[in-house]
Amino acid sequence: MKINLFVLYGGKSVEHEVSLRTAFTVLNAIDRETYDVYPVYITREGVWCCDGLQKQKPGSMDELASLGGNDRAGNAAASIGGVLLHYFSIPGKRVALPLLHGSYGEDGTVQGLLELLDMPYVGNGVLGAAATLDKDVAKRLLDQAGIGQTRYISFSLEEWLEKGPALIEKAERELGLPCYVKPATLGSSIGISRCQDVRELAEGIEEAFRYDRKLVIEREIRGREIQVAVMGNDRPIVSLPGEFIHRHTFFDFESKYMDKELVMSIPASLPEGVTARIRELALQAYRALCCSGLARVDFFLDADGELYCNEINALPGFTGTSMYPVMWERTDGTTYAELIGKLIDYAFMRHADKGTIRYTR
């Protein structure tokens, strides 16, 4: 029998559109001889929509966002209950594939629901998802693991309202200018500002607080940004490194998803020994943040050959311009469809392993 595969996408997140792009690419790549695919679209208001088994591959992203099956203007809780009752309870082997970037999907919330349902799911668990999405928490854990990072400070909206001028002075003194202001729990470069003076720094902080209640400010590292893909549970493996060749000083949302001139360089041309060092550091970071399933680890390499871990993305993009799947194809020949299959296999392995834990005395 085929495996029932529930693909979750959209979501109550600023990264809703990115999730649609990822879902469109993945749904067109899934092996339909192995899986019966049930797309589950989550609206920007958090309502879950499912039309049942998807017999044909989607022709457009608009099609993905037009699923019915529930009252689109209805109650989020009722819609979730309806999807769980009518579809997640279908007999047979089942697994979920969350393709939800950012809030309410990449942060451990959906993972917690799937744990309660005792359903295998692709990607990081509750702790790994929550820790990696929160840049402040992730940086503290990486610090404890001894993994080099750029200098940074972090503070909450409440702290900003209480002592804003002092925090501006601290950032300028400890980090220097230019620097980067980032919402603590978002990806895709949304809400991030490159600030070259104090005025821009204040504006960047206000912008970041539109999307979050905590932020981080980082010293700028001038150099190359190198990425590696990691996959696996207890014994993860690492791809060859890659980098985007581009002309942008700041690789923002438009640069990542709209620039038609982006060039992927895989494997990245690196000095002797640097590739091995990056791959080893990526494994250390993956374990330090309790990751499982998959992640992409990003580094800066400066002109002196120093490596700095920039961040870990627990749900890297799978769009047509995303690095993660291409790095695996260039590393060992894994195709897009094969990669999805491997990630699903890791989900089943982790679920089986957790099934050996005792919950009674």
Side-chain angles (χ1 to χ4, degrees):
M1 292 181 62
K2 292 184 181 180
I3 298 169
N4 295 317
L5 176 62
F6 300 93
V7 181
L8 281 59
Y9 62 91
K12 189 177 177 180
S13 168
V14 178
E15 297 184 73
H16 185 98
E17 181 186 349
V18 180
S19 177
L20 288 176
R21 291 170 181 252
T22 288
F24 179 74
T25 310
V26 170
L27 286 168
N28 273 284
I30 291 170
D31 178 8
R32 303 297 174 118
E33 296 298 316
T34 303
Y35 305 101
D36 276 338
V37 179
Y38 293 83
V40 179
Y41 170 59
I42 303 175
T43 71
R44 295 181 185 274
E45 294 72 39
V47 174
W48 288 36
C49 307
C50 182
D51 284 335
L53 177 65
Q54 185 186 65
K55 296 182 179 180
Q56 301 292 330
K57 295 181 179 181
S60 69
M61 285 194 295
D62 289 340
E63 183 181 330
L64 294 184
S66 64
L67 296 187
N70 294 295
D71 181 2
R72 293 286 293 263
N75 179 277
S79 72
I80 295 170
V83 171
L84 299 186
L85 177 64
H86 295 295
Y87 300 112
F88 278 41
S89 58
I90 291 172
K93 196 172 184 180
R94 57 186 187 152
V95 62
L97 175 55
L99 300 176
L100 298 159
H101 298 290
S103 309
Y104 302 106
E106 197 178 347
D107 56 359
T109 51
V110 164
Q111 291 78 7
L113 173 62
L114 295 170
E115 291 281 357
L116 290 174
L117 297 174
D118 193 28
M119 175 177 280
Y121 59 92
V122 171
N124 286 269
V126 176
L127 178 58
T132 51
L133 191 64
D134 189 315
K135 294 178 175 63
D136 172 45
V137 171
K139 287 178 179 297
R140 283 187 265 162
L141 290 172
L142 292 173
D143 274 341
Q144 288 188 339
I147 297 170
Q149 305 172 80
T150 184
R151 291 199 302 272
Y152 73 96
I153 63 172
S154 177
F155 52 84
S156 67
L157 176 60
E158 182 179 4
E159 291 174 288
W160 169 247
L161 295 175
E162 287 180 357
K163 47 187 178 182
L167 292 172
I168 289 278
E169 182 182 339
K170 180 180 180 180
E172 188 178 15
R173 181 180 68 253
E174 296 186 8
L175 308 177
L177 295 167
C179 62
Y180 288 88
V181 181
K182 302 179 178 181
T185 57
L186 271 185
S188 298
S189 297
I190 295 172
I192 296 179
S193 300
R194 181 178 184 267
C195 307
Q196 301 184 78
D197 55 40
V198 171
R199 179 186 60 81
E200 290 184 356
L201 179 55
E203 292 174 352
I205 290 171
E206 294 290 346
E207 174 69 7
F209 278 133
R210 292 179 58 203
Y211 298 101
D212 207 338
R213 290 299 176 263
K214 182 170 65 170
L215 57 73
V216 296
I217 307 179
E218 300 173 351
R219 179 175 70 96
E220 182 176 66
I221 298 291
R222 292 189 176 275
R224 300 162 63 185
E225 186 171 7
I226 310 296
Q227 307 177 5
V228 288
V230 187
M231 176 168 53
N233 298 331
D234 295 330
R235 295 173 179 165
I237 56 176
V238 189
S239 74
L240 292 171
E243 68 178 320
F244 281 113
I245 307 300
H246 59 86
R247 51 186 170 75
H248 305 282
T249 301
F250 171 31
F251 205 31
D252 59 9
F253 181 89
E254 285 72 23
S255 306
K256 288 181 177 180
Y257 297 105
M258 308 300 177
D259 187 351
K260 304 299 184 183
E261 298 180 3
L262 282 179
V263 176
M264 293 182 186
S265 176
I266 307 172
S269 178
L270 295 168
E272 185 177 353
V274 174
T275 294
R277 180 64 177 150
I278 287 176
R279 297 175 87 178
E280 178 56 34
L281 284 172
L283 282 177
Q284 292 178 27
Y286 192 82
R287 293 187 174 109
L289 287 166
C290 305
C291 293
S292 59
L294 77 159
R296 193 194 70 233
V297 189
D298 301 344
F299 294 90
F300 289 122
L301 175 66
D302 71 11
D304 297 323
E306 290 293 322
L307 284 168
Y308 302 86
C309 185
N310 179 28
E311 67 174 7
I312 299 184
N313 190 323
L315 182 60
F318 275 74
T319 70
T321 59
S322 297
M323 185 78 81
Y324 188 92
V326 182
M327 283 192 286
W328 283 118
E329 191 275 331
R330 303 277 178 88
T331 297
D332 58 13
T334 298
T335 66
Y336 206 112
E338 289 170 342
L339 178 58
I340 295 168
K342 287 182 178 182
L343 295 173
I344 291 171
D345 288 342
Y346 283 124
F348 282 122
M349 285 188 278
R350 184 180 60 194
H351 184 261
D353 186 56
K354 291 194 72 171
T356 65
I357 297 173
R358 290 183 59 176
Y359 296 98
T360 58
R361 294 180 63 183

